Amino acid sequence: MKLLTMEQYDAEEKKRTAVEEDTKLDTRVLEIIKTVRQRGDEALLAYTSRFDEVELKRLVVSEAEMAEAETLVNEDFRKAIQRAQQNITDFHTEQKEESWTITKEKDIVLGQKVTALERVGIYVPGGKASYPSTVLMNAIPAKIAGVKEIVMTTPAGKDGKINPHVLVAARMAGVNTIYKIGGAQAIAALAYGTETVQKVVKIVGPGNAYVARAKKWVFGDVAIDMVAGPSEICVVADETAIPSHVAADLLSQAEHDELATAICITTSQAFGEALLNEIQLQTTTAERKEIIEQSLSLNGKIIVVGTLQEAFKLVNELAPEHLQLMIENPMDKVQYVENAGAIFLGNYSPEALGDYMAGPNHTLPTSGTAKFSSPLGVYDFMKKSSIIHYSKEAFEEVADDIITIARTEGLYAHANSIAIRKVDK
């Protein structure tokens, strides 16, 4: 991990060259999508054998497997996940929008009809870790929105089974069907359907590079939440922050994968030096040491700036997925943050609190997309239709103006559809 001044950081950034699209990855992903569309379940089983090294007899998790999972989780986990479920539900319930209409003069009625999506697919990663929290974060907002059918895909382990904690979380959150498939092939199945997998109208949830690329390629045929990149954390710290706490929070994101980004921006050179020492100390005993070391080597930085204003300017340029303000009076400073997926205030609001328990969603925009994107929410599982009703009197009052605009645009059939009603008795 590097300790840099702002000038050194700027110099490093100027040396960066644009990364070309990984054409090899695109080629592989497009081939997988094409094969799944052509061969359906046969392709899913073949890819599962090839990539996950497991021979499946069926793609759908059975009721017997669900019942078995219930016996394999302990009471501490059950209580913790129930508490998280309640907090996530309470927060997301506030996001739900309702249909509305307004009535103006002359019996003009305008409005908006809000309708839940019919069927959505949730992708839950497997591999390096299991993510029951991701199940809750994706399924609960869909359930609150009123989605009729929620299906989930997640890769099976070498024993052909899904992690029991993931299954229990899925049942609690109201998932209807679970498929034992992962990777780009799962995204293709959700987007286009197979003999077993019924196509959905939207796909949400994080995944590896293959999953992210597949989501990008199927977008348009189906909706997606976002194309998520590696996890990110940015901590803004002053001399009131506790080095061991900041170090622990940076490592909590670095352990996700080798491409994760962990940055601290501080106004104190002494704090930066103490933090660097603490990071080195904690890394030596970390369970996922190799991943953390590679992540910090590639994308770990401590940047010393002159003022908090300079820090917030850099924050808004980075638009981080997770932003922690570990500074004096953070509530007063949050007004200076324009671009961030989620903002954590104070020394006792670590990013992991948001990952598991606080309630706001942990599916967040990455790679600078917080400049124009929002966290996953209930609004992602609803669509809106406009409502328009004019009485004859109200219509005739605006008819000539519509005809003028339509003819100006050269759309004479549009104009005629208005004019023909003017003479209608």
Side-chain angles (χ1 to χ4, degrees):
M1 191 162 193
K2 298 178 181 178
L3 176 61
L4 306 170
T5 64
M6 190 64 198
E7 290 74 19
Q8 290 170 327
Y9 171 76
D10 284 339
E12 275 204 355
E13 288 302 298
K14 287 177 182 177
K15 292 178 184 177
R16 284 180 180 263
T17 55
V19 179
E20 294 184 3
E21 294 288 353
D22 190 338
T23 55
K24 290 184 179 179
L25 178 60
D26 279 338
T27 299
R28 295 189 193 108
V29 167
L30 286 170
E31 179 62 29
I32 290 170
I33 292 171
K34 177 183 176 182
T35 304
V36 171
R37 294 187 74 174
Q38 291 176 340
R39 295 169 49 196
D41 286 355
E42 179 190 351
L44 295 179
L45 292 168
Y47 282 128
T48 300
S49 174
R50 176 179 168 187
F51 297 136
D52 300 330
E53 299 179 355
V54 57
E55 302 294 332
L56 294 178
K57 294 182 179 180
R58 52 179 288 151
L59 295 171
V60 180
V61 173
S62 67
E63 185 55 40
E65 289 172 300
M66 293 296 294
E68 180 188 29
E70 294 283 357
T71 69
L72 296 176
V73 302
N74 62 38
E75 193 59 28
D76 285 344
F77 170 79
R78 199 179 299 278
K79 287 180 179 178
I81 209 76
Q82 286 171 344
R83 188 171 187 178
Q85 179 187 27
Q86 188 60 58
N87 290 343
I88 296 165
T89 300
D90 290 345
F91 179 86
H92 287 83
T93 297
E94 298 296 323
Q95 295 179 338
K96 187 171 183 180
E97 298 178 74
E98 303 292 341
S99 300
W100 55 269
T101 59
I102 57 172
T103 301
K104 302 176 72 175
E105 71 283 352
K106 299 178 183 176
D107 197 25
I108 296 174
V109 179
L110 304 174
Q112 184 170 266
K113 183 179 183 295
V114 179
T115 308
L117 302 183
E118 183 178 1
R119 182 182 300 105
V120 300
I122 296 170
Y123 187 92
V124 176
K128 294 179 180 178
S130 62
Y131 299 96
S133 60
T134 296
V135 178
L136 300 186
M137 291 292 184
N138 286 267
I140 289 174
K143 200 72 178 177
I144 292 170
V147 174
K148 294 177 182 177
E149 187 175 358
I150 304 170
V151 304
M152 186 177 100
T153 66
T154 190
K158 296 290 192 296
D159 59 358
K161 296 182 178 181
I162 304 298
N163 182 283
H165 300 89
V166 169
L167 293 183
V168 169
R171 170 159 282 179
M172 290 175 62
V175 174
N176 300 100
T177 307
I178 303 169
Y179 301 106
K180 301 178 183 182
I181 46 175
Q185 61 270 25
I187 301 302
L190 291 173
Y192 302 110
T194 70
E195 297 91 330
T196 298
V197 182
Q198 193 171 2
K199 67 181 294 185
V200 300
V201 297
K202 187 165 189 173
I203 301 170
V204 301
N208 63 15
Y210 281 85
V211 171
R213 211 73 188 153
K215 285 172 69 177
K216 187 172 183 177
W217 280 112
V218 302
F219 175 64
D221 292 329
V222 66
I224 63 171
D225 52 349
M226 61 188 77
V227 179
S231 191
E232 308 159 350
I233 186 171
C234 177
V235 178
V236 177
D238 61 17
E239 62 279 354
T240 67
I242 302 169
S244 61
H245 291 187
V246 177
D249 295 341
L250 294 173
L251 266 58
S252 76
Q253 289 308 289
E255 77 168 348
H256 269 294
D257 66 59
E258 294 83 353
L259 298 178
T261 296
I263 293 176
C264 177
I265 306 170
T266 180
T267 53
S268 168
Q269 177 73 27
F271 176 87
E273 292 172 357
L275 175 60
L276 185 60
N277 290 334
E278 187 64 37
I279 287 170
Q280 292 168 348
L281 179 64
Q282 291 189 26
T283 300
T284 60
T285 58
E287 284 83 358
R288 294 162 72 86
K289 179 181 176 181
E290 291 184 6
I291 295 173
I292 289 172
E293 286 181 334
Q294 189 165 347
S295 169
L296 294 181
S297 175
L298 288 172
N299 295 312
K301 294 180 180 67
I302 302 168
I303 305 166
V304 181
V305 297
T307 64
L308 278 178
Q309 286 78 10
E310 195 175 358
F312 284 117
K313 181 180 179 182
L314 180 53
V315 163
N316 289 324
E317 289 174 3
L318 294 171
E321 178 187 16
H322 306 100
L323 172 66
Q324 291 185 200
L325 301 186
M326 300 178 75
I327 56 179
E328 192 172 10
N329 301 319
M331 193 71 74
D332 297 337
K333 308 297 193 306
V334 72
Q335 61 180 308
Y336 302 115
V337 178
E338 296 178 4
N339 304 321
I343 307 168
F344 302 80
L345 306 179
N347 288 321
Y348 294 93
S349 304
E351 182 278 333
L353 178 69
D355 267 354
Y356 299 115
M357 189 59 63
N361 211 285
H362 77 200
T363 301
L364 301 165
T366 62
S367 307
T369 60
K371 291 178 181 177
F372 52 80
S373 298
S374 304
L376 188 73
V378 175
Y379 37 76
D380 284 296
F381 299 98
M382 308 182 90
K383 58 193 179 76
K384 299 160 187 174
S385 304
S386 300
I387 296 171
I388 302 166
H389 169 268
Y390 267 57
S391 65
K392 188 172 186 296
E393 180 185 5
F395 166 80
E396 289 178 343
E397 188 174 286
V398 298
D400 288 339
D401 290 336
I402 299 172
I403 290 170
T404 297
I405 295 171
R407 287 176 176 169
T408 299
E409 293 185 349
L411 299 177
Y412 299 103
H414 280 65
N416 184 61
S417 73
I418 301 298
I420 200 168
R421 285 171 169 80
K422 280 187 64 181
V423 300
D424 186 20
K425 301 298 181 184

